[in-house]
mmCIF file of all heavy atoms in Angstrom:
data_model
loop_
_atom_site.group_PDB
_atom_site.id
_atom_site.type_symbol
_atom_site.label_atom_id
_atom_site.label_comp_id
_atom_site.label_asym_id
_atom_site.label_seq_id
_atom_site.Cartn_x
_atom_site.Cartn_y
_atom_site.Cartn_z
ATOM 1 N N ASP A 36 4.530 45.462 -4.029
ATOM 2 C CA ASP A 36 3.167 45.017 -4.348
ATOM 3 C C ASP A 36 2.272 46.181 -4.766
ATOM 4 O O ASP A 36 1.270 45.988 -5.458
ATOM 5 C CB ASP A 36 2.529 44.335 -3.128
ATOM 6 C CG ASP A 36 2.918 42.864 -3.042
ATOM 7 O OD1 ASP A 36 3.455 42.340 -4.037
ATOM 8 O OD2 ASP A 36 2.697 42.258 -1.975
ATOM 9 N N LEU A 37 2.624 47.392 -4.337
ATOM 10 C CA LEU A 37 1.807 48.566 -4.639
ATOM 11 C C LEU A 37 2.145 49.176 -6.000
ATOM 12 O O LEU A 37 1.577 50.194 -6.386
ATOM 13 C CB LEU A 37 1.982 49.617 -3.534
ATOM 14 C CG LEU A 37 1.559 49.144 -2.121
ATOM 15 C CD1 LEU A 37 1.887 50.209 -1.088
ATOM 16 C CD2 LEU A 37 0.081 48.799 -2.101
ATOM 17 N N ALA A 38 3.095 48.558 -6.731
ATOM 18 C CA ALA A 38 3.453 49.051 -8.063
ATOM 19 C C ALA A 38 2.258 48.926 -9.000
ATOM 20 O O ALA A 38 1.436 48.000 -8.884
ATOM 21 C CB ALA A 38 4.644 48.273 -8.615
ATOM 22 N N SER A 39 2.160 49.858 -9.952
ATOM 23 C CA SER A 39 0.989 49.887 -10.840
ATOM 24 C C SER A 39 1.002 48.751 -11.858
ATOM 25 O O SER A 39 -0.047 48.278 -12.285
ATOM 26 C CB SER A 39 0.914 51.235 -11.565
ATOM 27 O OG SER A 39 2.060 51.422 -12.373
ATOM 28 N N GLU A 40 2.192 48.280 -12.263
ATOM 29 C CA GLU A 40 2.277 47.211 -13.261
ATOM 30 C C GLU A 40 3.562 46.435 -13.024
ATOM 31 O O GLU A 40 4.638 47.014 -12.917
ATOM 32 C CB GLU A 40 2.287 47.802 -14.679
ATOM 33 C CG GLU A 40 2.283 46.743 -15.774
ATOM 34 C CD GLU A 40 2.306 47.337 -17.178
ATOM 35 O OE1 GLU A 40 2.490 48.562 -17.299
ATOM 36 O OE2 GLU A 40 2.140 46.591 -18.148
ATOM 37 N N ARG A 41 3.442 45.109 -12.919
ATOM 38 C CA ARG A 41 4.649 44.302 -12.707
ATOM 39 C C ARG A 41 4.325 42.838 -12.958
ATOM 40 O O ARG A 41 3.154 42.438 -13.011
ATOM 41 C CB ARG A 41 5.184 44.472 -11.289
ATOM 42 C CG ARG A 41 4.311 43.838 -10.211
ATOM 43 C CD ARG A 41 4.813 44.177 -8.821
ATOM 44 N NE ARG A 41 4.134 43.378 -7.806
ATOM 45 C CZ ARG A 41 4.651 42.321 -7.212
ATOM 46 N NH1 ARG A 41 5.858 41.902 -7.528
ATOM 47 N NH2 ARG A 41 3.977 41.654 -6.291
ATOM 48 N N PHE A 42 5.381 42.002 -13.128
ATOM 49 C CA PHE A 42 5.209 40.559 -13.145
ATOM 50 C C PHE A 42 5.016 40.107 -11.697
ATOM 51 O O PHE A 42 5.816 40.437 -10.822
ATOM 52 C CB PHE A 42 6.432 39.859 -13.745
ATOM 53 C CG PHE A 42 6.537 40.009 -15.232
ATOM 54 C CD1 PHE A 42 7.509 40.820 -15.794
ATOM 55 C CD2 PHE A 42 5.674 39.337 -16.087
ATOM 56 C CE1 PHE A 42 7.615 40.974 -17.170
ATOM 57 C CE2 PHE A 42 5.774 39.484 -17.464
ATOM 58 C CZ PHE A 42 6.741 40.297 -18.008
ATOM 59 N N THR A 43 3.955 39.366 -11.441
ATOM 60 C CA THR A 43 3.639 38.984 -10.064
ATOM 61 C C THR A 43 4.654 37.983 -9.539
ATOM 62 O O THR A 43 4.893 36.940 -10.144
ATOM 63 C CB THR A 43 2.227 38.365 -9.985
ATOM 64 O OG1 THR A 43 1.305 39.311 -10.498
ATOM 65 C CG2 THR A 43 1.873 38.026 -8.551
ATOM 66 N N LYS A 44 5.280 38.330 -8.435
ATOM 67 C CA LYS A 44 6.163 37.401 -7.726
ATOM 68 C C LYS A 44 6.282 37.900 -6.298
ATOM 69 O O LYS A 44 6.266 39.100 -6.053
ATOM 70 C CB LYS A 44 7.546 37.304 -8.380
ATOM 71 C CG LYS A 44 8.356 38.571 -8.308
ATOM 72 C CD LYS A 44 9.724 38.399 -8.909
ATOM 73 C CE LYS A 44 10.515 39.693 -8.879
ATOM 74 N NZ LYS A 44 9.804 40.826 -9.514
ATOM 75 N N ASN A 45 6.367 36.987 -5.368
ATOM 76 C CA ASN A 45 6.608 37.355 -3.983
ATOM 77 C C ASN A 45 7.819 36.567 -3.500
ATOM 78 O O ASN A 45 7.789 35.329 -3.441
ATOM 79 C CB ASN A 45 5.386 37.059 -3.103
ATOM 80 C CG ASN A 45 4.365 38.184 -3.192
ATOM 81 O OD1 ASN A 45 4.644 39.307 -2.806
ATOM 82 N ND2 ASN A 45 3.193 37.882 -3.743
ATOM 83 N N LEU A 46 8.879 37.281 -3.229
ATOM 84 C CA LEU A 46 10.102 36.624 -2.796
ATOM 85 C C LEU A 46 9.879 35.919 -1.458
ATOM 86 O O LEU A 46 9.181 36.428 -0.583
ATOM 87 C CB LEU A 46 11.225 37.651 -2.648
ATOM 88 C CG LEU A 46 11.640 38.403 -3.921
ATOM 89 C CD1 LEU A 46 12.756 39.386 -3.613
ATOM 90 C CD2 LEU A 46 12.068 37.441 -5.006
ATOM 91 N N TRP A 47 10.474 34.733 -1.317
ATOM 92 C CA TRP A 47 10.398 34.004 -0.063
ATOM 93 C C TRP A 47 11.758 33.395 0.236
ATOM 94 O O TRP A 47 12.624 33.307 -0.640
ATOM 95 C CB TRP A 47 9.320 32.916 -0.122
ATOM 96 C CG TRP A 47 9.595 31.844 -1.148
ATOM 97 C CD1 TRP A 47 9.314 31.897 -2.480
ATOM 98 C CD2 TRP A 47 10.249 30.591 -0.919
ATOM 99 N NE1 TRP A 47 9.737 30.763 -3.110
ATOM 100 C CE2 TRP A 47 10.313 29.928 -2.175
ATOM 101 C CE3 TRP A 47 10.767 29.944 0.197
ATOM 102 C CZ2 TRP A 47 10.874 28.666 -2.322
ATOM 103 C CZ3 TRP A 47 11.339 28.680 0.064
ATOM 104 C CH2 TRP A 47 11.379 28.055 -1.186
ATOM 105 N N THR A 48 11.956 33.012 1.469
ATOM 106 C CA THR A 48 13.244 32.462 1.872
ATOM 107 C C THR A 48 13.045 31.506 3.034
ATOM 108 O O THR A 48 12.005 31.551 3.728
ATOM 109 C CB THR A 48 14.217 33.578 2.292
ATOM 110 O OG1 THR A 48 15.482 33.021 2.605
ATOM 111 C CG2 THR A 48 13.690 34.344 3.513
ATOM 112 N N GLU A 49 14.006 30.643 3.249
ATOM 113 C CA GLU A 49 14.005 29.778 4.426
ATOM 114 C C GLU A 49 14.761 30.421 5.591
ATOM 115 O O GLU A 49 14.825 29.860 6.676
ATOM 116 C CB GLU A 49 14.623 28.424 4.077
ATOM 117 C CG GLU A 49 13.775 27.628 3.071
ATOM 118 C CD GLU A 49 14.366 26.279 2.745
ATOM 119 O OE1 GLU A 49 15.532 26.025 3.123
ATOM 120 O OE2 GLU A 49 13.671 25.459 2.101
ATOM 121 N N ARG A 50 15.300 31.635 5.366
ATOM 122 C CA ARG A 50 16.068 32.335 6.408
ATOM 123 C C ARG A 50 15.095 33.091 7.327
ATOM 124 O O ARG A 50 14.676 34.199 7.015
ATOM 125 C CB ARG A 50 17.072 33.311 5.791
ATOM 126 C CG ARG A 50 18.155 32.654 4.941
ATOM 127 C CD ARG A 50 19.263 33.642 4.659
ATOM 128 N NE ARG A 50 19.907 34.046 5.898
ATOM 129 C CZ ARG A 50 20.254 35.289 6.205
ATOM 130 N NH1 ARG A 50 20.003 36.271 5.365
ATOM 131 N NH2 ARG A 50 20.830 35.569 7.362
ATOM 132 N N GLN A 51 14.743 32.481 8.431
ATOM 133 C CA GLN A 51 13.791 33.089 9.357
ATOM 134 C C GLN A 51 14.516 34.008 10.349
ATOM 135 O O GLN A 51 15.702 33.853 10.610
ATOM 136 C CB GLN A 51 13.028 31.998 10.118
ATOM 137 C CG GLN A 51 12.205 31.091 9.214
ATOM 138 C CD GLN A 51 11.189 31.862 8.378
ATOM 139 O OE1 GLN A 51 10.508 32.759 8.877
ATOM 140 N NE2 GLN A 51 11.093 31.514 7.091
ATOM 141 N N SER A 52 13.778 34.973 10.880
ATOM 142 C CA SER A 52 14.327 35.904 11.872
ATOM 143 C C SER A 52 13.157 36.574 12.590
ATOM 144 O O SER A 52 12.057 36.690 12.042
ATOM 145 C CB SER A 52 15.195 36.964 11.194
ATOM 146 O OG SER A 52 15.575 37.964 12.120
ATOM 147 N N THR A 53 13.404 37.002 13.817
ATOM 148 C CA THR A 53 12.374 37.750 14.548
ATOM 149 C C THR A 53 12.567 39.258 14.404
ATOM 150 O O THR A 53 11.739 40.040 14.875
ATOM 151 C CB THR A 53 12.408 37.381 16.045
ATOM 152 O OG1 THR A 53 13.729 37.644 16.550
ATOM 153 C CG2 THR A 53 12.070 35.903 16.247
ATOM 154 N N ASP A 54 13.664 39.671 13.758
ATOM 155 C CA ASP A 54 13.981 41.104 13.639
ATOM 156 C C ASP A 54 13.361 41.685 12.373
ATOM 157 O O ASP A 54 13.737 41.320 11.253
ATOM 158 C CB ASP A 54 15.501 41.319 13.601
ATOM 159 C CG ASP A 54 16.165 40.909 14.905
ATOM 160 O OD1 ASP A 54 15.498 40.997 15.954
ATOM 161 O OD2 ASP A 54 17.347 40.491 14.873
ATOM 162 N N ARG A 55 12.418 42.605 12.561
ATOM 163 C CA ARG A 55 11.833 43.301 11.414
ATOM 164 C C ARG A 55 12.737 44.467 11.005
ATOM 165 O O ARG A 55 13.525 44.965 11.824
ATOM 166 C CB ARG A 55 10.455 43.845 11.787
ATOM 167 C CG ARG A 55 9.371 42.787 11.921
ATOM 168 C CD ARG A 55 8.073 43.386 12.416
ATOM 169 N NE ARG A 55 8.184 43.882 13.784
ATOM 170 C CZ ARG A 55 7.258 44.601 14.409
ATOM 171 N NH1 ARG A 55 6.148 44.941 13.766
ATOM 172 N NH2 ARG A 55 7.440 45.007 15.649
ATOM 173 N N PRO A 56 12.640 44.931 9.747
ATOM 174 C CA PRO A 56 13.366 46.151 9.363
ATOM 175 C C PRO A 56 12.937 47.298 10.262
ATOM 176 O O PRO A 56 11.778 47.362 10.695
ATOM 177 C CB PRO A 56 12.929 46.391 7.914
ATOM 178 C CG PRO A 56 12.361 45.105 7.449
ATOM 179 C CD PRO A 56 11.820 44.400 8.649
ATOM 180 N N ARG A 57 13.852 48.219 10.530
ATOM 181 C CA ARG A 57 13.555 49.316 11.448
ATOM 182 C C ARG A 57 13.284 50.608 10.688
ATOM 183 O O ARG A 57 14.029 50.964 9.774
ATOM 184 C CB ARG A 57 14.729 49.538 12.403
ATOM 185 C CG ARG A 57 15.130 48.320 13.181
ATOM 186 C CD ARG A 57 16.248 48.634 14.163
ATOM 187 N NE ARG A 57 15.723 49.106 15.441
ATOM 188 C CZ ARG A 57 16.477 49.607 16.410
ATOM 189 N NH1 ARG A 57 17.770 49.743 16.242
ATOM 190 N NH2 ARG A 57 15.927 49.999 17.544
ATOM 191 N N LEU A 58 12.193 51.283 11.071
ATOM 192 C CA LEU A 58 11.938 52.653 10.615
ATOM 193 C C LEU A 58 12.358 53.556 11.771
ATOM 194 O O LEU A 58 11.716 53.552 12.830
ATOM 195 C CB LEU A 58 10.456 52.861 10.309
ATOM 196 C CG LEU A 58 9.922 52.390 8.959
ATOM 197 C CD1 LEU A 58 8.418 52.608 8.892
ATOM 198 C CD2 LEU A 58 10.596 53.113 7.810
ATOM 199 N N VAL A 59 13.443 54.285 11.574
ATOM 200 C CA VAL A 59 14.047 55.042 12.674
ATOM 201 C C VAL A 59 13.798 56.532 12.472
ATOM 202 O O VAL A 59 14.303 57.138 11.513
ATOM 203 C CB VAL A 59 15.566 54.771 12.758
ATOM 204 C CG1 VAL A 59 16.150 55.454 13.996
ATOM 205 C CG2 VAL A 59 15.852 53.279 12.781
ATOM 206 N N ASN A 60 13.022 57.136 13.361
ATOM 207 C CA ASN A 60 12.761 58.577 13.304
ATOM 208 C C ASN A 60 13.848 59.324 14.064
ATOM 209 O O ASN A 60 14.109 59.028 15.239
ATOM 210 C CB ASN A 60 11.395 58.885 13.924
ATOM 211 C CG ASN A 60 10.259 58.333 13.077
ATOM 212 O OD1 ASN A 60 9.942 58.866 12.026
ATOM 213 N ND2 ASN A 60 9.642 57.246 13.538
ATOM 214 N N VAL A 61 14.492 60.268 13.397
ATOM 215 C CA VAL A 61 15.514 61.106 14.035
ATOM 216 C C VAL A 61 15.153 62.572 13.784
ATOM 217 O O VAL A 61 14.333 62.882 12.924
ATOM 218 C CB VAL A 61 16.931 60.796 13.500
ATOM 219 C CG1 VAL A 61 17.342 59.378 13.825
ATOM 220 C CG2 VAL A 61 17.013 61.031 11.989
ATOM 221 N N ARG A 62 15.790 63.463 14.534
ATOM 222 C CA ARG A 62 15.423 64.877 14.449
ATOM 223 C C ARG A 62 15.883 65.511 13.140
ATOM 224 O O ARG A 62 15.136 66.209 12.469
ATOM 225 C CB ARG A 62 16.012 65.628 15.640
ATOM 226 C CG ARG A 62 15.626 67.109 15.693
ATOM 227 C CD ARG A 62 16.198 67.761 16.933
ATOM 228 N NE ARG A 62 17.651 67.561 16.983
ATOM 229 C CZ ARG A 62 18.418 67.921 18.015
ATOM 230 N NH1 ARG A 62 17.869 68.463 19.080
ATOM 231 N NH2 ARG A 62 19.716 67.715 17.994
ATOM 232 N N ASP A 63 17.144 65.272 12.770
ATOM 233 C CA ASP A 63 17.701 65.940 11.590
ATOM 234 C C ASP A 63 18.843 65.096 11.033
ATOM 235 O O ASP A 63 19.113 63.986 11.511
ATOM 236 C CB ASP A 63 18.176 67.355 11.938
ATOM 237 C CG ASP A 63 19.149 67.371 13.120
ATOM 238 O OD1 ASP A 63 19.820 66.343 13.360
ATOM 239 O OD2 ASP A 63 19.235 68.404 13.806
ATOM 240 N N GLU A 64 19.528 65.641 10.019
ATOM 241 C CA GLU A 64 20.585 64.879 9.361
ATOM 242 C C GLU A 64 21.797 64.652 10.261
ATOM 243 O O GLU A 64 22.503 63.655 10.118
ATOM 244 C CB GLU A 64 21.010 65.595 8.074
ATOM 245 C CG GLU A 64 19.963 65.495 6.973
ATOM 246 C CD GLU A 64 20.380 66.233 5.716
ATOM 247 O OE1 GLU A 64 20.434 67.476 5.755
ATOM 248 O OE2 GLU A 64 20.667 65.576 4.703
ATOM 249 N N ALA A 65 22.040 65.557 11.200
ATOM 250 C CA ALA A 65 23.149 65.356 12.140
ATOM 251 C C ALA A 65 22.856 64.152 13.032
ATOM 252 O O ALA A 65 23.738 63.298 13.257
ATOM 253 C CB ALA A 65 23.355 66.614 12.980
ATOM 254 N N ASP A 66 21.626 64.064 13.544
ATOM 255 C CA ASP A 66 21.251 62.901 14.349
ATOM 256 C C ASP A 66 21.247 61.632 13.499
ATOM 257 O O ASP A 66 21.590 60.546 13.976
ATOM 258 C CB ASP A 66 19.870 63.117 14.976
ATOM 259 C CG ASP A 66 19.946 63.805 16.333
ATOM 260 O OD1 ASP A 66 21.072 64.209 16.728
ATOM 261 O OD2 ASP A 66 18.896 63.959 16.986
ATOM 262 N N GLN A 67 20.829 61.745 12.258
ATOM 263 C CA GLN A 67 20.856 60.600 11.343
ATOM 264 C C GLN A 67 22.273 60.052 11.230
ATOM 265 O O GLN A 67 22.500 58.840 11.325
ATOM 266 C CB GLN A 67 20.334 61.022 9.966
ATOM 267 C CG GLN A 67 20.415 59.938 8.898
ATOM 268 C CD GLN A 67 19.749 60.362 7.597
ATOM 269 O OE1 GLN A 67 18.732 59.817 7.207
ATOM 270 N NE2 GLN A 67 20.316 61.347 6.922
ATOM 271 N N ALA A 68 23.234 60.948 11.035
ATOM 272 C CA ALA A 68 24.633 60.537 10.917
ATOM 273 C C ALA A 68 25.109 59.863 12.201
ATOM 274 O O ALA A 68 25.780 58.823 12.168
ATOM 275 C CB ALA A 68 25.507 61.745 10.583
ATOM 276 N N ARG A 69 24.762 60.453 13.369
ATOM 277 C CA ARG A 69 25.202 59.881 14.643
ATOM 278 C C ARG A 69 24.567 58.511 14.883
ATOM 279 O O ARG A 69 25.225 57.589 15.372
ATOM 280 C CB ARG A 69 24.869 60.840 15.794
ATOM 281 C CG ARG A 69 25.803 62.049 15.846
ATOM 282 C CD ARG A 69 25.619 62.843 17.130
ATOM 283 N NE ARG A 69 24.398 63.644 17.101
ATOM 284 C CZ ARG A 69 24.340 64.886 16.624
ATOM 285 N NH1 ARG A 69 25.433 65.457 16.127
ATOM 286 N NH2 ARG A 69 23.201 65.560 16.626
ATOM 287 N N TYR A 70 23.285 58.364 14.521
ATOM 288 C CA TYR A 70 22.617 57.064 14.675
ATOM 289 C C TYR A 70 23.337 55.993 13.849
ATOM 290 O O TYR A 70 23.635 54.899 14.346
ATOM 291 C CB TYR A 70 21.153 57.156 14.235
ATOM 292 C CG TYR A 70 20.482 55.800 14.155
ATOM 293 C CD1 TYR A 70 20.039 55.165 15.304
ATOM 294 C CD2 TYR A 70 20.333 55.143 12.927
ATOM 295 C CE1 TYR A 70 19.453 53.901 15.241
ATOM 296 C CE2 TYR A 70 19.747 53.892 12.856
ATOM 297 C CZ TYR A 70 19.311 53.270 14.015
ATOM 298 O OH TYR A 70 18.753 52.014 13.947
ATOM 299 N N VAL A 71 23.599 56.304 12.582
ATOM 300 C CA VAL A 71 24.244 55.330 11.696
ATOM 301 C C VAL A 71 25.613 54.945 12.239
ATOM 302 O O VAL A 71 25.956 53.754 12.316
ATOM 303 C CB VAL A 71 24.354 55.885 10.259
ATOM 304 C CG1 VAL A 71 25.255 54.993 9.407
ATOM 305 C CG2 VAL A 71 22.979 56.011 9.624
ATOM 306 N N VAL A 72 26.398 55.924 12.660
ATOM 307 C CA VAL A 72 27.748 55.636 13.152
ATOM 308 C C VAL A 72 27.681 54.763 14.403
ATOM 309 O O VAL A 72 28.447 53.791 14.540
ATOM 310 C CB VAL A 72 28.514 56.948 13.426
ATOM 311 C CG1 VAL A 72 29.794 56.670 14.195
ATOM 312 C CG2 VAL A 72 28.833 57.646 12.104
ATOM 313 N N GLU A 73 26.777 55.071 15.336
ATOM 314 C CA GLU A 73 26.682 54.271 16.564
ATOM 315 C C GLU A 73 26.299 52.832 16.254
ATOM 316 O O GLU A 73 26.865 51.887 16.813
ATOM 317 C CB GLU A 73 25.673 54.898 17.532
ATOM 318 C CG GLU A 73 26.204 56.168 18.181
ATOM 319 C CD GLU A 73 25.442 56.530 19.449
ATOM 320 O OE1 GLU A 73 24.645 55.698 19.939
ATOM 321 O OE2 GLU A 73 25.651 57.651 19.946
ATOM 322 N N ARG A 74 25.341 52.653 15.350
ATOM 323 C CA ARG A 74 24.920 51.288 15.012
ATOM 324 C C ARG A 74 26.026 50.529 14.263
ATOM 325 O O ARG A 74 26.227 49.336 14.479
ATOM 326 C CB ARG A 74 23.647 51.334 14.151
ATOM 327 C CG ARG A 74 22.404 51.716 14.910
ATOM 328 C CD ARG A 74 21.973 50.601 15.882
ATOM 329 N NE ARG A 74 20.899 51.044 16.753
ATOM 330 C CZ ARG A 74 21.063 51.608 17.941
ATOM 331 N NH1 ARG A 74 22.290 51.794 18.413
ATOM 332 N NH2 ARG A 74 20.033 51.972 18.678
#
């Protein structure tokens, strides 16, 4: 929505969920790798 120029559309779906996307803060790339592997 913050794009400077676009055809207006807002995607919608009937697939409901309570889980929002996660913004995961990690210390460095090594921790990033370990987080991804564990998940």
